[in-house]
Amino acid sequence: MMNAVKLLGLFALVPLALAIDRDIAEPLTVPGAFIVEFADGHDATKFRRQAPGFDTRLDLDFELFKGMSIQLHNTDNADEAAASLASLSGVKSIWPVTVVPPPNPEVHIIPGADSESLRRGGGNSSEVPYSTHVMTQVDKMHAKGITGKGIKIAIVDTGIDYEHPLLGGCFGEGCLIESGYDLVGDNYNGTNQPVPDADPMDNCFGHGTHVAGIIAAEDNELGFRGAAPGVRIAAYRVFGCDGGVSTDVLVAAFNRAYEEGADIITASIGANFGWSSAPWAIAASRIVEKGVPCTLSAGNDGSEGLFHSQSAAIGKGVTSVASFQNTKLPLSLLESFETIDDGPRTAFPYDACGGDNFDGVARPLWAVGFNTTSDDDACYPLPDDTPDLSEYHVLVRRATCGPFDQAENLIAKGARSIIVYETGLDTSCIYVANMNDVEAAAMVPKEIGEAWVEALAGGANITVELISRDQATPIVYTQDGGPTAGAASFLTSWGPSYEMEASPKIGAPGGNILSTYPRALGNYAVFSGTSMACPFAAAAFALVAEARGTREPAVIENLLTSTAKAQRFQQVRNGEAVFQDFLAPPLQQGAGLIQVYDAAYGTTMSLEPSNLSFNDTDNFVESRSFTLTNHGSKQVTYRVSHVPTHSFYALPENRRLPSRYPTQSQPEHGDVVFSASELTIPAGKSATVEVTASPPEGLDANRYALWSGYIALNGSDGTSLSLSYHGLVGSLHNAVAIDEDNTYLTVSTGESACPNRIYTLPPHGIIVDAWDKPLPQLYANLYWGTAKMTGELVRLSNTTQSNETGESIGQLAGFPVQWASRGFWTWVWYGRLSDGQYAPVGRYKIVVKALRIFGDESKDEDWQVVETMPFRIRYEE
Ligand SMILES: *[C@@H]1O[C@H](CO)[C@@H](O)[C@H](O)[C@H]1NC(C)=O
Ligand SMILES: *[C@@H]1O[C@H](CO)[C@@H](O)[C@H](O)[C@H]1NC(C)=O
Ligand SMILES: *[C@@H]1O[C@H](CO)[C@@H](O)[C@H](O)[C@H]1NC(C)=O
Ligand SMILES: *[C@@H]1O[C@H](CO)[C@@H](O)[C@H](O)[C@H]1NC(C)=O
Ligand SMILES: *[C@@H]1O[C@H](CO)[C@@H](O)[C@H](O)[C@H]1NC(C)=O
Ligand SMILES: *[C@@H]1O[C@H](CO)[C@@H](O)[C@H](O)[C@H]1NC(C)=O
Ligand SMILES: *[C@@H]1O[C@H](CO)[C@@H](O)[C@H](O)[C@H]1NC(C)=O
Ligand SMILES: *[C@@H]1O[C@H](CO)[C@@H](O)[C@H](O)[C@H]1NC(C)=O
Ligand SMILES: *[C@@H]1O[C@H](CO)[C@@H](O)[C@H](O)[C@H]1NC(C)=O
């Protein structure tokens, strides 16, 4: 098998800021680096003898993965070299080493907090149940004494600050963080050589420390605690202080964790949207097959729309985890003081949003308006009778016109200190402090702002002191989760895969999660993302494993998916998040929010499989079946029913580009008919139900309508189980993958290109600044991912003719691209071909081809083709 992808090297990537609403799909490969897997009986020594000319990056000498990663000395002809390595008898597979970017949760670090001064706003934490545990029944597991005892969870991440007082305070035997390894070292950035050492301290990023706290933080005054505090943890650090992680390091980390006795492996890491073929996903799948569950975050690209699952989360057997919003909203804030009329001076929480010229001087508070539901406070110039605002702290409600317009209108009346109070949906800071004379900007929570407005409306005088960031006491202020409380997070990346596999699998709390953070970076932080949901799911596996006495990944996963609670869909309308009257589709929330107690104790049934894919229109499978097995001692009768949800269009009307956050729901749904609507299953017996589906009618197949829903099973013993299904109206094979209008050749300096332009390329092997030197630059915009994209250089005659054809003289360096994500791809071309040769002087065109989804490489009609205008090249002497 041969999967060579190479995009860097002489074929340099030029970062671009395009006025197009797409992200540039990053070509993330390490030039000249490959992962080689040996055939049986082969090893590194034999391989070195067979194939000289490389350095070893990593030895991948594991029970489940025998191979190595290599760095070729000569990166010029890397693709050709890889092809010849692949043909060696000792080589089973070879893949390019790709780079997975660091995780990207939304981060809110608690300013300047240390464990002494930090306290919790609004009550004594140890008396309150912890919200994420209540949402998922983890509190009920803890009440039964189930904490994940005897189970070792490996966390593959940025390392862990094991000296954090809530994470055991030490490293090694007898400590919570019992073992681990730093596979990369501080200076590693994803493309250079990793330098391992024995110490997995999280000394730069903090992400892994946050993840570890979600699993096992000790109880504390701030009110959060780990979901499985009885486990032991092994920390595998795979990120340096900057950049991403290469897939060879991930293969090594997972296999090392497996061999060092991990019972569960969790990694909140991923990339490669929409495809499951990667050595790392394969490595994870093998580990799951050996009985060790792997939980992976589904990704935080919900805004990218459907078909955006990330790898390795979509690897076979791997558990991909969606995020749900915490029902509480912990805010990391500072404390200042207010006085109402002659009342006492009392503390209130606020966030300093830049400027920070809070002198602590008491000033009266003046509110723009007394309407606590208005959405346009200070969106227009203020009336003439507005007082001089320079002597006040000005209170304004967050408005749809945005903080800058608001600030502008307030500044016009002299405002120097602006306090925005929140609407409950968005609690991020407002950064207006650098505008004109604004000296300080602050944010206060909804309840505080509303209480102030009410008091002012009633004629009270409020005096507010704003203490500067350095002087103020940090507090964690927990408020109600607001309108998104308990919802499936908007940020979770949606499935399915391009091959119509369901993803994500299950959901866990990931939005607005307070947890541990490295001591050097502030001790505590609030993060949001599937990165937070993923370790929670790993903890849930540990709890179910302890309670059920099984470690079998498929068994635990089935228990978690079949008992999960599906949530209603939520949509943002006019800035407000509103629950709809239909369920969120499984392609967003998986089976739903995990209910750990029900999974551990609630049922004696197993339900297989966990989902049914009816595939797209071309590959429609009319009927699928599932099997229920009664492992209990009593007969149970189940009623089978259908809970459809709305269909979702992948494409907006009249556009070929998948929509941003999928809001295009349609009430139409598919129908399913069961071979039996009631099942009586004696103890120890199984029953199989055939599900015959018909896709919804009246939907526009050109927009790709994803239809889905749940099959509910209500048992006479009071249990309720479910499984999800999905299908697609539309032909993925016919999807237009490549955008003809946005796949073209231009000039790297930004000049416009015209046909037959002559590009003077630098001498062979010389890289120049493509912003300064006009080089050919190829763009390819992919509407959908493609399993393979080629770029052929076609030789034309020297004189211009109409409808020109010519001979391909090979692929440009960097092609073919395998498993390409959708988005904008771009290359600056120096004349080099994929075999390392340089194209001769002459006249050419480039022919870009994208393989259709489910297409057959050998058939011409399965490729979409776009040609560039003709151009000429010559080389500098
Ligand atoms: C919080 O409550 C617990 C249990 O009632 C008690 O032991 C602890 O002292 C209280 N902490 C504070 C700061 O009041
Ligand atoms: C990684 O670091 C190396 C030096 O060790 C540097 O040459 C390379 O450009 C860096 N890569 C990235 C992506 O920052
Ligand atoms: C407050 O603002 C909302 C939203 O603009 C509006 O619907 C409502 O009528 C206003 N209330 C008052 C009392 O003006
Ligand atoms: C608020 O302050 C104003 C001006 O200082 C004063 O006239 C008024 O009586 C005060 N109102 C209350 C309720 O104290
Ligand atoms: C859908 O059909 C295609 C083509 O037969 C197949 O390759 C793919 O695996 C199917 N997907 C699922 C989830 O069954
Ligand atoms: C869906 O079911 C298939 C088996 O048919 C299974 O391999 C896959 O892991 C399941 N995916 C999800 C998201 O449950
Ligand atoms: C099955 O149980 C679920 C959850 O308890 C409930 O919402 C649903 O209405 C029940 N369905 C039927 C058909 O009884
Ligand atoms: C085009 O011109 C170049 C030199 O100008 C020459 O090397 C090449 O052979 C010519 N190609 C054709 C197809 O005539
Ligand atoms: C060029 O090719 C197109 C499509 O193959 C054809 O319609 C057109 O008539 C051709 N033009 C000439 C000048 O041959």
Side-chain angles (χ1 to χ4, degrees):
M1 202 190 98
M2 173 65 205
N3 270 355
V5 179
K6 183 164 175 304
L7 291 154
L8 297 174
L10 290 184
F11 208 58
L13 170 81
V14 177
L16 292 156
L18 288 169
I20 296 176
D21 68 333
R22 302 308 320 284
D23 294 332
I24 291 174
E26 287 170 66
L28 295 159
T29 2
V30 183
F34 293 88
I35 296 174
V36 181
E37 186 176 17
F38 302 139
D40 283 349
H42 226 73
D43 61 26
T45 316
K46 289 184 193 160
F47 180 68
R48 278 197 193 87
R49 234 179 286 136
Q50 264 182 319
F54 62 82
D55 291 325
T56 303
R57 277 173 60 92
L58 293 175
D59 269 317
L60 302 171
D61 187 13
F62 299 105
E63 180 194 327
L64 303 181
F65 198 102
K66 293 211 181 307
M68 66 196 302
S69 62
I70 61 170
Q71 176 66 58
L72 298 177
H73 293 154
N74 180 1
T75 56
D76 281 357
N77 63 349
D79 300 322
E80 199 182 33
S84 73
L85 292 180
S87 66
L88 295 175
S89 58
V91 173
K92 185 168 154 198
S93 312
I94 181 162
W95 301 270
V97 173
T98 56
V99 182
V100 179
N104 60 341
E106 290 168 19
V107 178
H108 202 144
I109 296 167
I110 293 176
D114 61 53
S115 43
E116 255 84 290
S117 67
L118 189 61
R119 58 183 190 75
R120 185 171 177 277
N124 179 345
S125 66
S126 4
E127 292 161 358
V128 221
Y130 181 35
S131 54
T132 63
H133 293 188
V134 175
M135 291 166 74
T136 52
Q137 305 178 332
V138 163
D139 57 337
K140 289 168 83 176
M141 300 299 284
H142 291 183
K144 275 187 97 87
I146 305 290
T147 57
K149 288 181 293 295
I151 291 170
K152 179 157 160 173
I153 299 184
I155 298 177
V156 177
D157 209 297
T158 63
I160 297 174
D161 179 2
Y162 46 76
E163 287 179 6
H164 196 292
L166 296 186
L167 296 175
C170 60
F171 178 58
E173 202 153 340
C175 300
L176 170 66
I177 317 299
E178 181 189 70
S179 60
Y181 194 64
D182 175 359
L183 285 93
V184 294
D186 285 359
N187 296 327
Y188 172 71
N189 63 14
T191 58
N192 54 3
Q193 177 70 28
V195 182
D197 64 75
D199 182 5
M201 174 56 83
D202 183 6
N203 48 356
C204 317
F205 265 110
H207 188 268
T209 303
H210 199 273
V211 160
I214 289 167
I215 295 175
E218 279 171 29
D219 214 342
N220 60 79
E221 287 290 296
L222 296 183
F224 71 90
R225 61 195 76 118
V231 299
R232 292 160 301 131
I233 289 175
Y236 296 92
R237 182 184 181 206
V238 296
F239 291 93
C241 289
D242 193 24
V245 53
S246 51
T247 41
D248 55 346
V249 168
L250 288 167
V251 169
F254 270 58
N255 278 288
R256 197 176 170 116
Y258 170 72
E259 291 189 1
E260 291 177 355
D263 298 304
I264 296 164
I265 301 175
T266 188
S268 297
I269 305 171
N272 243 12
F273 306 105
W275 301 105
S276 62
S277 291
W280 171 36
I282 291 167
S285 298
R286 288 182 193 162
I287 290 170
V288 176
E289 233 166 81
K290 286 286 179 181
V292 173
C294 292
T295 53
L296 279 107
S297 50
N300 298 338
D301 287 301
S303 63
E304 294 293 324
L306 301 171
F307 294 98
H308 219 256
S309 334
Q310 75 181 8
S311 185
I314 46 176
K316 191 168 173 293
V318 169
T319 305
S320 60
V321 188
S323 167
F324 277 69
Q325 296 297 107
N326 195 344
T327 52
K328 297 283 180 190
L329 176 56
L331 296 174
S332 51
L333 299 176
L334 300 165
E335 219 170 50
S336 274
F337 297 91
E338 60 172 315
T339 311
I340 301 190
D341 294 331
D342 299 330
R345 178 174 179 263
T346 48
F348 72 89
Y350 80 103
D351 198 355
C353 303
D356 205 16
N357 289 321
F358 300 117
D359 46 17
V361 173
R363 291 203 188 112
L365 188 71
W366 185 85
V368 170
F370 293 153
N371 183 353
T372 52
T373 58
S374 84
D375 53 11
D376 60 357
D377 263 14
C379 284
Y380 307 100
L382 300 186
D384 293 343
D385 61 356
T386 305
D388 173 10
L389 297 182
S390 63
E391 293 311 310
Y392 292 95
H393 291 301
V394 178
L395 181 66
V396 61
R397 188 172 194 263
R398 188 185 278 269
T400 45
C401 63
F404 294 101
D405 285 359
Q406 290 179 294
E408 200 124 332
N409 291 321
L410 297 173
I411 290 165
K413 294 293 178 187
R416 289 187 290 130
S417 167
I418 297 174
I419 305 176
V420 172
Y421 70 99
E422 281 308 329
T423 57
L425 186 61
D426 180 359
T427 55
S428 55
C429 244
I430 47 139
Y431 294 98
V432 296
N434 52 354
M435 288 177 69
N436 293 352
D437 296 330
V438 177
E439 288 165 5
M443 183 283 282
V444 295
K446 183 176 189 288
E447 305 87 90
I448 305 286
E450 289 178 357
W452 282 348
V453 167
E454 235 166 77
L456 291 171
N461 290 332
I462 302 177
T463 316
V464 166
E465 300 157 47
L466 283 180
I467 314 291
S468 79
R469 184 180 286 264
D470 303 344
Q471 311 283 313
T473 307
I475 62 164
V476 171
Y477 183 84
T478 301
Q479 61 180 30
D480 277 344
T484 65
S489 302
F490 295 125
L491 55 70
T492 302
S493 300
W494 286 54
S497 74
Y498 287 122
E499 283 148 333
M500 286 299 288
E501 306 279 357
S503 169
K505 275 188 178 158
I506 55 173
N512 300 319
I513 306 299
L514 170 64
S515 183
T516 45
Y517 206 50
R519 291 155 301 143
L521 301 175
N523 274 304
Y524 308 98
V526 177
F527 275 24
S528 290
T530 54
S531 279
M532 283 59 251
C534 180
F536 198 104
F541 267 83
L543 298 177
V544 176
E546 184 189 346
R548 292 259 180 190
T550 175
R551 303 278 167 92
E552 195 44 56
V555 169
I556 300 177
E557 189 184 273
N558 260 316
L559 287 164
L560 286 169
T561 53
S562 64
T563 57
K565 199 159 77 184
Q567 176 58 286
R568 283 180 298 145
F569 185 60
Q570 198 174 58
Q571 209 157 345
V572 177
R573 288 221 173 100
N574 304 324
E576 302 284 338
V578 182
F579 277 110
Q580 307 295 304
D581 61 2
F582 56 91
L583 293 177
L587 295 315
Q588 180 190 35
Q589 66 169 338
L593 183 64
I594 49 173
Q595 300 296 305
V596 182
Y597 189 89
D598 289 350
Y601 297 105
T603 179
T604 54
M605 288 286 161
S606 64
L607 176 58
E608 264 184 305
S610 57
N611 67 95
L612 307 173
S613 173
F614 294 101
N615 223 325
D616 71 346
T617 302
D618 294 345
N619 301 290
F620 179 59
V621 182
E622 198 182 350
S623 79
R624 292 265 190 208
S625 58
F626 64 88
T627 301
L628 259 177
T629 305
N630 184 349
H631 301 284
S633 54
K634 291 197 195 94
Q635 169 170 307
V636 185
T637 299
Y638 274 88
R639 280 178 49 211
V640 188
S641 60
H642 177 208
V643 190
T645 180
H646 284 197
S647 298
F648 283 78
Y649 277 131
L651 304 187
E653 213 160 356
N654 299 323
R655 286 185 67 195
R656 291 163 158 188
L657 194 64
S659 26
R660 289 257 157 179
Y661 183 78
T663 50
Q664 316 244 353
S665 69
Q666 301 291 317
E668 288 84 357
H669 60 77
D671 267 319
V672 295
V673 175
F674 307 112
S675 58
S677 59
E678 206 167 89
L679 299 170
T680 297
I681 311 170
K685 294 283 191 276
S686 300
T688 296
V689 177
E690 186 133 314
V691 183
T692 306
S694 42
E697 284 172 13
L699 293 175
D700 181 356
N702 293 321
R703 294 179 64 191
Y704 296 90
L706 196 53
W707 49 281
S708 61
Y710 298 84
I711 295 163
L713 299 151
N714 292 41
S716 53
D717 60 350
T719 58
S720 59
L721 305 177
S722 73
L723 82 158
S724 65
Y725 69 83
H726 67 280
L728 186 76
V729 174
S731 159
L732 284 174
H733 177 269
N734 293 344
V736 178
I738 194 158
D739 171 8
E740 292 188 20
D741 297 335
N742 281 301
T743 297
Y744 55 88
L745 189 73
T746 182
V747 188
S748 64
T749 49
E751 298 159 44
S752 60
C754 43
N756 299 309
R757 181 187 169 107
I758 301 172
Y759 294 90
T760 305
L761 306 180
H764 297 182
I766 304 295
I767 296 287
V768 296
D769 185 344
W771 290 109
D772 288 342
K773 173 142 182 97
L775 297 173
Q777 179 160 15
L778 177 65
Y779 284 90
N781 185 24
L782 294 180
Y783 286 141
W784 296 80
T786 175
K788 192 168 188 177
M789 173 164 56
T790 60
E792 268 161 28
L793 189 68
V794 173
R795 188 89 192 241
L796 301 175
S797 70
N798 281 339
T799 48
T800 308
Q801 292 161 2
S802 58
N803 282 6
E804 291 177 279
T805 54
E807 284 281 298
S808 166
I809 66 161
Q811 301 218 25
L812 309 195
F815 286 95
V817 180
Q818 296 271 6
W819 314 120
S821 310
R822 66 175 185 245
F824 243 109
W825 293 74
T826 182
W827 302 261
V828 170
W829 191 51
Y830 288 85
R832 204 165 59 82
L833 300 173
S834 65
D835 63 3
Q837 303 297 308
Y838 278 80
V841 169
R843 195 165 155 272
Y844 298 97
K845 66 181 176 183
I846 299 170
V847 178
V848 180
K849 295 186 186 173
L851 184 63
R852 294 173 178 278
I853 294 172
F854 302 142
D856 177 345
E857 282 189 34
S858 66
K859 292 188 187 152
D860 281 350
E861 66 269 27
D862 282 357
W863 292 88
Q864 281 167 33
V865 183
V866 181
E867 301 188 353
T868 67
M869 61 173 74
F871 62 100
R872 292 171 198 274
I873 58 165
R874 59 181 183 219
Y875 294 91
E876 274 167 31
E877 291 306 314

